PDB file of all heavy atoms in Angstrom:
ATOM      1  N   PRO C1423       7.912   5.197  -9.244  1.00  0.00           N
ATOM      2  CA  PRO C1423       8.783   4.901 -10.386  1.00  0.00           C
ATOM      3  C   PRO C1423       8.103   5.334 -11.685  1.00  0.00           C
ATOM      4  O   PRO C1423       6.873   5.381 -11.770  1.00  0.00           O
ATOM      5  CB  PRO C1423       8.948   3.377 -10.347  1.00  0.00           C
ATOM      6  CG  PRO C1423       8.313   2.905  -9.091  1.00  0.00           C
ATOM      7  CD  PRO C1423       7.486   4.019  -8.531  1.00  0.00           C
ATOM      8  N   ASP C1424       8.903   5.676 -12.683  1.00  0.00           N
ATOM      9  CA  ASP C1424       8.349   6.094 -13.977  1.00  0.00           C
ATOM     10  C   ASP C1424       7.332   5.097 -14.498  1.00  0.00           C
ATOM     11  O   ASP C1424       6.301   5.487 -15.047  1.00  0.00           O
ATOM     12  CB  ASP C1424       9.462   6.259 -15.013  1.00  0.00           C
ATOM     13  CG  ASP C1424      10.368   7.438 -14.716  1.00  0.00           C
ATOM     14  OD1 ASP C1424      10.088   8.198 -13.766  1.00  0.00           O
ATOM     15  OD2 ASP C1424      11.364   7.585 -15.449  1.00  0.00           O
ATOM     16  N   GLU C1425       7.591   3.812 -14.321  1.00  0.00           N
ATOM     17  CA  GLU C1425       6.690   2.766 -14.808  1.00  0.00           C
ATOM     18  C   GLU C1425       5.291   2.888 -14.219  1.00  0.00           C
ATOM     19  O   GLU C1425       4.311   2.555 -14.874  1.00  0.00           O
ATOM     20  CB  GLU C1425       7.250   1.369 -14.493  1.00  0.00           C
ATOM     21  CG  GLU C1425       8.552   1.042 -15.172  1.00  0.00           C
ATOM     22  CD  GLU C1425       9.782   1.591 -14.446  1.00  0.00           C
ATOM     23  OE1 GLU C1425       9.658   2.130 -13.331  1.00  0.00           O
ATOM     24  OE2 GLU C1425      10.874   1.476 -15.025  1.00  0.00           O
ATOM     25  N   PHE C1426       5.198   3.371 -13.000  1.00  0.00           N
ATOM     26  CA  PHE C1426       3.896   3.566 -12.367  1.00  0.00           C
ATOM     27  C   PHE C1426       3.060   4.545 -13.183  1.00  0.00           C
ATOM     28  O   PHE C1426       1.898   4.289 -13.475  1.00  0.00           O
ATOM     29  CB  PHE C1426       4.060   4.080 -10.932  1.00  0.00           C
ATOM     30  CG  PHE C1426       2.763   4.479 -10.290  1.00  0.00           C
ATOM     31  CD1 PHE C1426       2.001   3.546  -9.607  1.00  0.00           C
ATOM     32  CD2 PHE C1426       2.281   5.782 -10.387  1.00  0.00           C
ATOM     33  CE1 PHE C1426       0.781   3.904  -9.025  1.00  0.00           C
ATOM     34  CE2 PHE C1426       1.081   6.152  -9.815  1.00  0.00           C
ATOM     35  CZ  PHE C1426       0.328   5.207  -9.129  1.00  0.00           C
ATOM     36  N   PHE C1427       3.652   5.684 -13.549  1.00  0.00           N
ATOM     37  CA  PHE C1427       2.912   6.713 -14.273  1.00  0.00           C
ATOM     38  C   PHE C1427       2.489   6.226 -15.658  1.00  0.00           C
ATOM     39  O   PHE C1427       1.378   6.502 -16.098  1.00  0.00           O
ATOM     40  CB  PHE C1427       3.745   7.991 -14.386  1.00  0.00           C
ATOM     41  CG  PHE C1427       3.983   8.640 -13.057  1.00  0.00           C
ATOM     42  CD1 PHE C1427       5.198   8.501 -12.416  1.00  0.00           C
ATOM     43  CD2 PHE C1427       2.987   9.377 -12.437  1.00  0.00           C
ATOM     44  CE1 PHE C1427       5.417   9.090 -11.178  1.00  0.00           C
ATOM     45  CE2 PHE C1427       3.191   9.974 -11.205  1.00  0.00           C
ATOM     46  CZ  PHE C1427       4.422   9.818 -10.568  1.00  0.00           C
ATOM     47  N   TYR C1428       3.366   5.499 -16.340  1.00  0.00           N
ATOM     48  CA  TYR C1428       3.021   4.982 -17.661  1.00  0.00           C
ATOM     49  C   TYR C1428       1.915   3.931 -17.566  1.00  0.00           C
ATOM     50  O   TYR C1428       0.983   3.921 -18.378  1.00  0.00           O
ATOM     51  CB  TYR C1428       4.252   4.420 -18.369  1.00  0.00           C
ATOM     52  CG  TYR C1428       5.325   5.458 -18.583  1.00  0.00           C
ATOM     53  CD1 TYR C1428       6.624   5.235 -18.160  1.00  0.00           C
ATOM     54  CD2 TYR C1428       5.040   6.673 -19.207  1.00  0.00           C
ATOM     55  CE1 TYR C1428       7.616   6.181 -18.355  1.00  0.00           C
ATOM     56  CE2 TYR C1428       6.017   7.633 -19.397  1.00  0.00           C
ATOM     57  CZ  TYR C1428       7.309   7.377 -18.971  1.00  0.00           C
ATOM     58  OH  TYR C1428       8.276   8.320 -19.167  1.00  0.00           O
ATOM     59  N   ALA C1429       2.012   3.072 -16.574  1.00  0.00           N
ATOM     60  CA  ALA C1429       0.973   2.051 -16.383  1.00  0.00           C
ATOM     61  C   ALA C1429      -0.340   2.703 -15.944  1.00  0.00           C
ATOM     62  O   ALA C1429      -1.421   2.300 -16.383  1.00  0.00           O
ATOM     63  CB  ALA C1429       1.428   1.007 -15.361  1.00  0.00           C
ATOM     64  N   PHE C1430      -0.261   3.704 -15.082  1.00  0.00           N
ATOM     65  CA  PHE C1430      -1.448   4.434 -14.651  1.00  0.00           C
ATOM     66  C   PHE C1430      -2.132   5.055 -15.862  1.00  0.00           C
ATOM     67  O   PHE C1430      -3.342   4.964 -16.021  1.00  0.00           O
ATOM     68  CB  PHE C1430      -1.072   5.514 -13.628  1.00  0.00           C
ATOM     69  CG  PHE C1430      -2.233   6.330 -13.145  1.00  0.00           C
ATOM     70  CD1 PHE C1430      -3.054   5.860 -12.136  1.00  0.00           C
ATOM     71  CD2 PHE C1430      -2.513   7.575 -13.697  1.00  0.00           C
ATOM     72  CE1 PHE C1430      -4.142   6.612 -11.690  1.00  0.00           C
ATOM     73  CE2 PHE C1430      -3.587   8.335 -13.270  1.00  0.00           C
ATOM     74  CZ  PHE C1430      -4.403   7.849 -12.252  1.00  0.00           C
ATOM     75  N   TYR C1431      -1.342   5.686 -16.737  1.00  0.00           N
ATOM     76  CA  TYR C1431      -1.921   6.293 -17.931  1.00  0.00           C
ATOM     77  C   TYR C1431      -2.538   5.231 -18.841  1.00  0.00           C
ATOM     78  O   TYR C1431      -3.595   5.446 -19.429  1.00  0.00           O
ATOM     79  CB  TYR C1431      -0.890   7.120 -18.706  1.00  0.00           C
ATOM     80  CG  TYR C1431      -1.541   7.815 -19.874  1.00  0.00           C
ATOM     81  CD1 TYR C1431      -2.322   8.937 -19.667  1.00  0.00           C
ATOM     82  CD2 TYR C1431      -1.418   7.320 -21.161  1.00  0.00           C
ATOM     83  CE1 TYR C1431      -2.970   9.565 -20.719  1.00  0.00           C
ATOM     84  CE2 TYR C1431      -2.055   7.947 -22.229  1.00  0.00           C
ATOM     85  CZ  TYR C1431      -2.825   9.061 -21.998  1.00  0.00           C
ATOM     86  OH  TYR C1431      -3.472   9.669 -23.034  1.00  0.00           O
ATOM     87  N   GLY C1432      -1.906   4.084 -18.943  1.00  0.00           N
ATOM     88  CA  GLY C1432      -2.481   2.994 -19.733  1.00  0.00           C
ATOM     89  C   GLY C1432      -3.843   2.593 -19.205  1.00  0.00           C
ATOM     90  O   GLY C1432      -4.783   2.354 -19.976  1.00  0.00           O
ATOM     91  N   MET C1433      -3.974   2.542 -17.889  1.00  0.00           N
ATOM     92  CA  MET C1433      -5.257   2.227 -17.269  1.00  0.00           C
ATOM     93  C   MET C1433      -6.280   3.311 -17.603  1.00  0.00           C
ATOM     94  O   MET C1433      -7.415   3.020 -17.988  1.00  0.00           O
ATOM     95  CB  MET C1433      -5.094   2.112 -15.748  1.00  0.00           C
ATOM     96  CG  MET C1433      -6.389   1.916 -14.978  1.00  0.00           C
ATOM     97  SD  MET C1433      -6.260   2.308 -13.223  1.00  0.00           S
ATOM     98  CE  MET C1433      -6.334   4.083 -13.244  1.00  0.00           C
ATOM     99  N   ILE C1434      -5.875   4.568 -17.495  1.00  0.00           N
ATOM    100  CA  ILE C1434      -6.761   5.690 -17.793  1.00  0.00           C
ATOM    101  C   ILE C1434      -7.190   5.648 -19.258  1.00  0.00           C
ATOM    102  O   ILE C1434      -8.368   5.834 -19.579  1.00  0.00           O
ATOM    103  CB  ILE C1434      -6.072   7.033 -17.453  1.00  0.00           C
ATOM    104  CG1 ILE C1434      -5.894   7.198 -15.947  1.00  0.00           C
ATOM    105  CG2 ILE C1434      -6.801   8.218 -18.067  1.00  0.00           C
ATOM    106  CD1 ILE C1434      -7.182   7.293 -15.140  1.00  0.00           C
TER     107      ILE C1434
END
Side-chain angles (χ1 to χ4, degrees):
D1424 291 355
E1425 296 83 7
F1426 172 88
F1427 294 102
Y1428 299 127
F1430 179 82
Y1431 184 76
M1433 174 199 78
I1434 291 296

